[in-house]
Amino acid sequence: MATLTKLHVCPQSFEGPSTRDGHLIGALGRGVHRFGVGVSTSRSGLCLRKCRSFRGGDGGDFEKEDNKGRNRRNSRLKEVKMKKESQFWKFLRSGVLGKFNLLLGSDVDQGKLMANMEGLLSSAAVQIGRYIVTMMSTGVVLAVGFQLSGGDSQMNTLIWYSWLGGVIIGTMIGANLVLEEHCRAGPRNVVITGSTRGLGKALAREFLLSGDRVVVASRSPESVQETLRELEENLKGLMVRSGSSNKSLAHAKVVGTTCNVCDPEDVHNLANFALNELGSIDIWINNAGTNKGFRPLLQFTDEDITQILSTNLVGSLLCTREAMRVMRNQAKGGHIFNMDGAGSGGSSTPLTAVYGSTKCGLRQLQSSLLKECRRSNVGVHTASPGMVLTDLLLSGSTVRNKQMFNIICELPETVARTLVPRMRVVKGTGKAINYLTPPRILLALVTAWLRRGRWFDEKGRALYAAEADRIRNWAENRTRFSFTDAMEMYTENTWVSVFSLSVVCAFIILSTTNNTLPGT
Amino acid sequence: MASASSSSLLFPSLLVTHNHGFFFSPPSRIRLSLYKLESFSRSVARSRDISNIPTNGVVNLNSVSTNAEESQQREPMVPPYNVLITGSTKGIGYALAREFLKAGDNVVICSRSAERVESSVQSLREEFGEQHVWGTKCDVREGEDVKNLVAFVQKNLKYIDIWINNAGSNAYSFKPLVEASDEDLIEVVTTNALGLMICCREAIKMMLNQPRGGHVFNIDGAGSDGRPTPRFAAYGATKRSVVHLTKSLQAELRMQDVKNVVVHNLSPGMVTTDLLMSGANTKQAKFFINVLAEPPEVVAEYLVPNIRSIPTNGSTRPTYIRFLTGLKAYSQIFSRLAFGARRNRYLLED
């Protein structure tokens, strides 16, 4: 019980620094309030509410996306320190001063200093708010555990150990995240094949708006020009919206060239073009793929089969080889991504037999390349977008399929938004970056009845906006609160410790009921 | 470039164990999620199947298949069988052809090189008589060539019971992907994957209209179980896609309710053909070739009775016939390690 009282004292001690921002006090209050409600209902409710209040606290400051993430992770690291009984004020001072110094060093413009100061304080306050809520949540979980254990000293020890375990795991994951955040700095040079349509275009846009330099490539020169124009417009639009203060977009640029991935000469030229324009290649994404509709193999012509095979398999082989050749000679290496598709896992894909078998072959290629590249600095990865509403999927699909798509499909922009941050910070080799992670699948299944008319109505007509309209609302889309994103964000940290504690609690509940039940 | 040689090098799981010290890859969240995605797309695909059936082409296919099924009941498949083997002028294809001829069947051989087809037909005819062997030039990578092959068969033999897609290539080069040449990569993919797909399509198309139906066999190779194949990454990827294609085709035929045409996999294991031997330049490769590989004749002797038993029993179930099973491989490696058996069998180890 001692912990609990100590935790309850905390909010008062924070009030000093946070009064400078009225908005944040409100956020804090709201967070605490919701938190209280969450406790009274259930443990899972508690977590969800906690996420919401976090988001509520920093509502809408989109341009500080990066900064925000860093703060959150810092705070998490530091609160772990705090849990280990280290000095709170030291933490606060170092946190604030660190930020301040960083700021002074990086921005000499005195006129902006006050505005920056304000932003800094607000971010510090957000940090503190997060700290309090996280501490209280673990505190309450602990308290519930103690309550359930009923004063049994053995149980109490167990709870403490599991709590400590959770804290340690959380620290490790947090440290990892901070390191990743550090890696995130600096623009990447990205080559994406087949990037004038669908997912490739969405990926290119997302990379570009993250401040990277992107090479788009496709077979047709017109569509390359078209895409270049469009992406540049997007970039300008974002720069105008976010103002001149945003330095992350300073290096962003997009160039493009024509490239038929099944032509070795073209692929070689693409690599040279990228090297000439950008100097080096950090990330190469083999996104070009084709399917040619859904029908039995007997109805595919020679031309169709040749094209599917040469785009999916030969193209990936040639591009991977070319990218490896380039990256081997770079000091910092590079990362190659091959796109997964239906059939990658080895399950049969009737009606898309050729497409499926190429994707299955690519997975095997991936494992061979892993062995071949073991000692080099080139990372070979796969990225799995799940099911995306692009021409590849929609061509030849029926009304019935579209009903199914409602549940599990996503717009390319949504998928790209999730994949790109992970691709940018990927380390090592042999990683798989997936869109459809278990939480997402769970959510899709749970809310299946809500998603019935999501993309298509009963007659199979598309209900979603055309691409141009979607992009117009780009900024709104990017800042809009997404529940699954929040879940993803908190998966690694919070879920681990909360889960370990709840397992212990469940164990205690079970053991105590066994004891009290008569006749057992 | 030499002709499409046949053979497979199925490095078994042991290679992995030996190489890298672990056998069971640790299960991870990522794997799980991939699996989930897979099952999702599968369920979607299934619904697509159901909904697609009433559309144009499938109906025709259905009617064709039911006709064929009825006639199949009238005309059961009886020996001698008509067998077609692609890439069968050397290696395991030639050995299979000989073995089928020994069993009294009629065999059509084909290959990219007209001269080699000519000489192979000559030598086989000397041994087994004029009326059992036919041969024609066919480059499986060309749709037109394969169509001509079908026309040739229909003219000379009327029908084919067993079609074996054996033509495969590794461009006779074993090196990391980074060092592989453009031509080699394209050659491997076009022969192993494109050629096989075109052959499968033509074979199924022909067999659907045959009163006797038919069996298509696709030869797998190293990598078809999904295990890594460093130094011949492109070959492994194509062979993996072959096995997947077989699986998808089986699902498609089941979906269309076709009973008289069956697609099978055939695994010859490691066979001492040019394709395998050209990669025997590392200590590890020599060890495994000595321990696990067999000459093509031995492999064919085992495979052919197994292949022939399928039409003999009238089975319409897809099968995966393996020469080198896991148990066999393990026991051979054990006897090598324990008693030194098979040392320096084909190649001098140092």
Side-chain angles (χ1 to χ4, degrees), chain A residues 311-361:
Chain A
T311 310
N312 294 5
L313 205 50
V314 178
S316 292
L317 276 168
L318 293 176
C319 287
T320 307
R321 191 198 58 185
E322 202 60 46
M324 278 162 72
R325 279 180 181 168
V326 170
M327 288 170 182
R328 258 196 326 182
N329 301 323
Q330 289 174 184
K332 54 181 173 172
H335 298 278
I336 304 167
F337 288 90
N338 278 308
M339 282 294 182
D340 273 351
S344 287
S347 57
S348 64
T349 52
L351 301 182
T352 56
V354 181
Y355 175 85
S357 70
T358 57
K359 287 295 180 187
C360 192

Side-chain angles (χ1 to χ4, degrees), chain A residues 11-26 28 121-122 125 128:
Chain A
Q12 273 97 46
S13 65
F14 289 139
E15 235 161 56
S18 22
T19 30
R20 303 183 192 192
D21 193 319
H23 165 66
L24 270 154
I25 289 292
L28 270 183
L121 282 171
S122 75
I128 293 159

Side-chain angles (χ1 to χ4, degrees), chain B residues 232-252:
Chain B
F232 46 106
Y235 176 88
T238 55
K239 283 300 182 185
R240 174 82 185 125
S241 65
V242 163
V243 174
H244 190 267
L245 180 84
T246 312
K247 233 165 136 182
S248 299
L249 285 179
Q250 285 163 358
E252 268 178 23

Side-chain angles (χ1 to χ4, degrees), chain A residues 262 264-265 294-303 305-306 309-310 313-314 316-318 320-322 324-325 328 340-354 356-358 360-365 367-369 371-374 382 384-387 393 396-398 400-401 404-405 407-408 422 431-434 436-439 441 444-445 488 491-492, chain B residues 16 19-20 22 29-34 36-45 47-52 55-58 61 142-144 147 175-183 185-186 189-190 193-195 197-198 200-202 204-205 208 222-238 240-242 244-245 247-249 251-252 254-256:
Chain A
C262 25
E265 199 56 42
F294 296 89
R295 51 187 196 272
L297 179 74
L298 299 193
Q299 293 169 24
F300 279 95
T301 63
D302 295 342
E303 188 51 37
I305 300 179
T306 313
L309 264 176
S310 51
L313 205 50
V314 178
S316 292
L317 276 168
L318 293 176
T320 307
R321 191 198 58 185
E322 202 60 46
M324 278 162 72
R325 279 180 181 168
R328 258 196 326 182
D340 273 351
S344 287
S347 57
S348 64
T349 52
L351 301 182
T352 56
V354 181
S357 70
T358 57
C360 192
L362 280 182
R363 184 60 73 78
Q364 201 275 343
L365 177 75
S367 62
S368 303
L369 290 179
K371 292 261 181 291
E372 285 183 6
C373 300
R374 241 178 322 162
T382 57
S384 165
M387 301 191 75
L393 185 68
S397 60
T398 60
R400 217 190 151 99
N401 300 339
M404 192 70 89
F405 293 162
I407 295 171
I408 201 70
R422 280 142 210 260
K431 299 279 167 21
I433 294 177
N434 303 325
L436 276 179
T437 47
I441 293 169
L445 287 182
E488 284 285 306
T491 299
E492 313 241 337
Chain B
V16 181
N19 261 342
H20 311 293
F22 69 86
R29 199 165 61 88
I30 292 160
R31 285 277 162 77
L32 177 72
S33 63
L34 275 178
K36 288 274 174 63
L37 164 63
E38 214 42 61
S39 61
F40 263 103
S41 52
R42 193 166 43 193
S43 62
V44 172
S47 78
R48 185 185 300 135
D49 310 345
I50 299 162
S51 47
N52 245 20
T55 57
N56 44 16
V58 188
L61 270 176
E142 301 292 333
E144 213 45 52
K147 285 195 181 83
K175 43 186 152 181
L177 181 74
V178 201
E179 292 158 29
S181 70
D182 303 331
E183 296 76 34
L185 290 180
I186 292 173
V189 174
T190 48
L194 177 66
M197 284 169 187
I198 293 176
C200 271
R201 191 193 59 196
E202 292 304 321
I204 294 173
K205 212 180 260 177
L208 279 174
S224 46
D225 48 2
R227 294 218 165 78
T229 51
R231 295 201 306 140
F232 46 106
Y235 176 88
T238 55
R240 174 82 185 125
S241 65
V242 163
H244 190 267
L245 180 84
K247 233 165 136 182
S248 299
L249 285 179
E252 268 178 23
R254 203 168 44 238
M255 222 172 74
Q256 294 161 8

Side-chain angles (χ1 to χ4, degrees), chain B residues 74-117:
Chain B
R74 286 198 305 271
E75 202 174 318
M77 213 182 270
V78 286
Y81 304 120
N82 292 346
V83 184
L84 186 149
I85 306 170
T86 62
S88 45
T89 52
K90 57 180 190 172
I92 188 168
Y94 188 72
L96 283 173
R98 274 179 55 97
E99 204 61 38
F100 274 112
L101 285 168
K102 270 190 207 159
D105 296 331
N106 305 315
V107 175
V108 179
I109 63 173
C110 62
S111 137
R112 262 184 275 182
S113 138
E115 306 95 76
R116 270 213 311 280
V117 170

Side-chain angles (χ1 to χ4, degrees), chain A residues 184-413:
Chain A
R184 194 171 288 183
R188 307 283 196 282
N189 300 333
V190 188
V191 178
I192 307 174
T193 63
S195 44
T196 55
R197 284 195 303 171
L199 182 67
K201 194 175 179 181
L203 285 174
R205 184 182 296 121
E206 192 63 39
F207 271 112
L208 186 68
L209 300 188
S210 310
D212 295 326
R213 291 177 285 215
V214 183
V215 179
V216 295
S218 149
R219 267 175 301 187
S220 116
E222 297 88 51
S223 61
V224 169
Q225 288 312 317
E226 178 77 17
T227 309
L228 280 180
R229 204 164 40 242
E230 200 180 305
L231 290 181
E232 268 159 11
E233 250 166 48
N234 291 155
L235 182 62
K236 263 183 224 137
L238 186 72
M239 279 172 127
V240 167
R241 258 197 297 278
S242 64
S244 55
S245 65
N246 198 331
K247 285 188 294 294
S248 67
L249 292 178
H251 298 286
K253 78 168 181 179
V254 57
V255 289
T257 181
T258 53
C259 173
N260 183 0
V261 288
C262 25
D263 183 352
E265 199 56 42
D266 268 21
V267 175
H268 189 66
N269 290 340
L270 172 65
N272 284 342
F273 175 81
L275 283 179
N276 286 339
E277 291 282 332
L278 310 177
S280 67
I281 304 173
D282 299 318
I283 298 174
W284 183 302
I285 302 173
N286 288 324
N287 168 71
T290 181
N291 183 22
K292 302 272 166 200
F294 296 89
R295 51 187 196 272
L297 179 74
L298 299 193
Q299 293 169 24
F300 279 95
T301 63
D302 295 342
E303 188 51 37
D304 287 342
I305 300 179
T306 313
Q307 240 182 57
I308 299 173
L309 264 176
S310 51
T311 310
N312 294 5
L313 205 50
V314 178
S316 292
L317 276 168
L318 293 176
C319 287
T320 307
R321 191 198 58 185
E322 202 60 46
M324 278 162 72
R325 279 180 181 168
V326 170
M327 288 170 182
R328 258 196 326 182
N329 301 323
Q330 289 174 184
K332 54 181 173 172
H335 298 278
I336 304 167
F337 288 90
N338 278 308
M339 282 294 182
D340 273 351
S344 287
S347 57
S348 64
T349 52
L351 301 182
T352 56
V354 181
Y355 175 85
S357 70
T358 57
K359 287 295 180 187
C360 192
L362 280 182
R363 184 60 73 78
Q364 201 275 343
L365 177 75
Q366 157 80 0
S367 62
S368 303
L369 290 179
L370 271 185
K371 292 261 181 291
E372 285 183 6
C373 300
R374 241 178 322 162
R375 281 181 205 85
S376 75
N377 53 356
V378 181
V380 193
H381 315 270
T382 57
S384 165
M387 301 191 75
V388 189
L389 290 168
T390 56
D391 298 346
L392 189 134
L393 185 68
L394 297 179
S395 64
S397 60
T398 60
V399 176
R400 217 190 151 99
N401 300 339
K402 285 178 176 169
Q403 300 307 320
M404 192 70 89
F405 293 162
N406 275 335
I407 295 171
I408 201 70
C409 271
E410 285 297 340
L411 294 171
E413 289 81 26

